[in-house]
C-alpha cells in the first residue's frame, strides 16, 4: 500500500542555516505529494505541493521537487528563521476522488537565534 | 479567512464512556475527513465522508467509531466505548474537491482526547 517515510527528528538548527528534511514514498501510480506544517497550538497547514514528476512546489522560501526516479520529495530551505520552528509532515494522495492523504510521522524543527 | 473549527479542544474521559468530537468544516466544502495522531506517531487517516455517506475508511475505523453530519454545518466523530489506546489528537479536515491536486485539505486545530 501507499506509505511515506520521513527522517526522524528533532532537527535543531541555528538561524540562517540550510534545512533539508528527507521524505521518500511508496505508491502505486502517480501520487500527488505534499508538505504540511503544524505550528505550536495550531492545526496542519498546507505548505507546498507537487502533482507530477519533476514539479517543484515552493512557498515561504521552502522548496521540494517531486523525484519519481528516487521516489522522494525532500523539503529544503536555504536560510531558516526562528519562526520556521514547527512540525513538518510529508504526505501523499493517489489522485483518485475522495482518497485520503497518507502522512509521514512528522519532523520537528527547532530553530534558535 | 474561513477555517475548520473543532470542539472540544481537550476532553478527558473514563474508559468505556462514549465521546463525541465535533467539527464545523468550511461552509462550501464537500469532502470531510477525520484523522488522528497518537502522541509521537504519524497522523493516521480514519474516515472520509461525502454526500452524507462514508466514502473511505481505514482499518482503525472499526465498529466503535461512527461519523455523522446531523445538520448542514456540523460533522461529528463518535467513539462508542473508549479504550485507553484511543487517547490521541483527533483532527477534522475538509476540502472543496475530492481530487487531491485540485483542492487543499484544510485542518482544524485538533481535539485532544485523553482516556483514563
Amino acid at each position: 500500500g501507499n506509505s511515506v517515510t520521513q527522517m526522524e527528528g528533532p532537527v535543531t538548527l541555528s538561524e540562517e542555516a540550510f534545512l533539508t528534511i528527507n521524505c521518500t514514498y511508496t505508491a502505486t501510480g502517480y501520487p500527488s505529494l505534499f508538505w504540511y506544517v503544524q505550528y505550536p497550538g495550531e492545526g496542519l497547514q498546507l505548505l507546498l505541493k507537487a502533482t507530477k514528476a519533476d514539479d517543484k512546489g515552493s512557498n515561504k522560501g521552502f522548496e521540494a521537487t517531486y523525484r519519481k526516479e528516487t521516489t522522494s520529495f525532500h523539503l529544503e530551505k536555504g536560510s531558516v528563521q526562528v519562526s520556521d520552528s514547527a512540525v513538518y509532515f510529508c504526505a501523499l494522495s493517489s489522485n483518485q476522488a475522495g482518497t485520503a492523504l497518507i502522512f509521514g510521522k512528522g519532523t520537528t524543527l527547532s530553530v534558535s537565534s | 479567512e474561513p477555517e475548520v473549527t473543532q470542539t472540544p479542544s481537550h476532553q478527558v474521559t473514563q474508559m468505556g464512556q462514549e465521546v463525541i468530537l465535533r467539527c464545523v468544516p468550511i461552509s462550501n466544502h464537500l469532502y470531510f475527513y477525520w484523522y488522528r495522531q497518537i502522541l509521537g506517531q504519524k497522523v493516521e487517516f480514519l474516515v472520509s465522508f461525502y454526500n452524507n455517506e462514508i466514502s473511505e475508511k481505514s482499518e482503525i475505523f472499526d465498529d466503535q467509531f461512527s461519523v455523522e453530519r446531523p445538520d448542514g454545518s456540523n460533522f461529528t466523530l463518535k467513539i462508542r466505548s473508549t479504550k485507553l489506546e484511543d487517547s490521541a489528537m483527533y483532527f477534522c479536515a475538509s476540502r472543496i474537491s475530492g481530487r487531491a491536486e485540485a483542492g487543499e485539505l484544510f485542518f482544524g486545530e485538533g481535539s485532544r482526547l485523553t482516556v483514563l
Side-chain angles (χ1 to χ4, degrees):
Chain A
N2 297 342
S3 67
V4 174
T5 303
Q6 282 182 244
M7 65 185 284
E8 295 284 332
V11 174
T12 304
L13 295 173
S14 298
E15 209 165 21
E16 299 183 4
F18 184 85
L19 168 71
T20 300
I21 300 178
N22 290 339
C23 171
T24 57
Y25 68 89
T26 302
T28 53
Y30 301 92
S32 291
L33 301 173
F34 305 82
W35 278 99
Y36 276 78
V37 59
Q38 184 180 27
Y39 298 104
E42 299 184 16
L44 287 80
Q45 304 170 26
L46 179 64
L47 180 60
L48 53 84
K49 69 178 183 182
T51 58
K52 60 183 188 295
D54 299 325
D55 266 2
K56 179 187 284 188
S58 61
N59 186 24
K60 299 181 182 180
F62 290 90
E63 292 183 340
T65 301
Y66 188 163
R67 302 279 188 210
K68 187 162 173 59
E69 65 276 13
T70 54
T71 62
S72 65
F73 193 55
H74 303 322
L75 182 68
E76 296 181 336
K77 186 173 186 182
S79 176
V80 293
Q81 305 300 312
V82 172
S83 58
D84 293 327
S85 298
V87 183
Y88 292 82
F89 294 89
C90 186
L92 71 81
S93 177
S94 70
N95 287 344
Q96 294 171 13
T99 299
L101 290 178
I102 306 298
F103 284 89
K105 264 192 170 185
T107 303
T108 300
L109 170 65
S110 178
V111 181
S112 58
S113 57
Chain B
E1 186 176 320
E3 59 181 14
V4 176
T5 57
Q6 289 186 239
T7 54
S9 56
H10 188 194
Q11 181 157 355
V12 181
T13 190
Q14 296 292 323
M15 193 167 55
Q17 295 297 304
E18 177 183 282
V19 161
I20 297 176
L21 304 179
R22 291 182 168 79
C23 170
V24 179
I26 295 173
S27 61
N28 63 338
H29 285 190
L30 301 176
Y31 292 81
F32 313 113
Y33 303 82
W34 282 101
Y35 286 81
R36 78 171 186 191
Q37 184 181 26
I38 295 171
L39 188 64
Q41 299 187 26
K42 62 174 61 179
V43 177
E44 301 172 294
F45 167 70
L46 294 178
V47 65
S48 61
F49 193 85
Y50 169 71
N51 200 27
N52 284 320
E53 60 183 27
I54 291 173
S55 51
E56 190 178 4
K57 61 182 181 179
S58 71
E59 294 174 352
I60 303 167
F61 195 86
D62 61 22
D63 292 343
Q64 293 298 312
F65 292 90
S66 62
V67 288
E68 195 177 33
R69 191 158 159 79
D71 52 42
S73 58
N74 288 285
F75 178 51
T76 62
L77 174 69
K78 182 192 290 186
I79 308 174
R80 215 177 318 278
S81 177
T82 51
K83 304 186 286 287
L84 294 176
E85 54 265 37
D86 293 327
S87 295
M89 180 73 89
Y90 288 81
F91 292 103
C92 175
S94 69
R95 181 156 66 194
I96 193 165
S97 160
R99 292 183 64 82
E101 70 276 17
E104 177 182 345
L105 194 59
F106 288 82
F107 283 83
E109 293 184 3
S111 293
R112 180 167 296 286
L113 176 64
T114 301
V115 182
L116 303 176

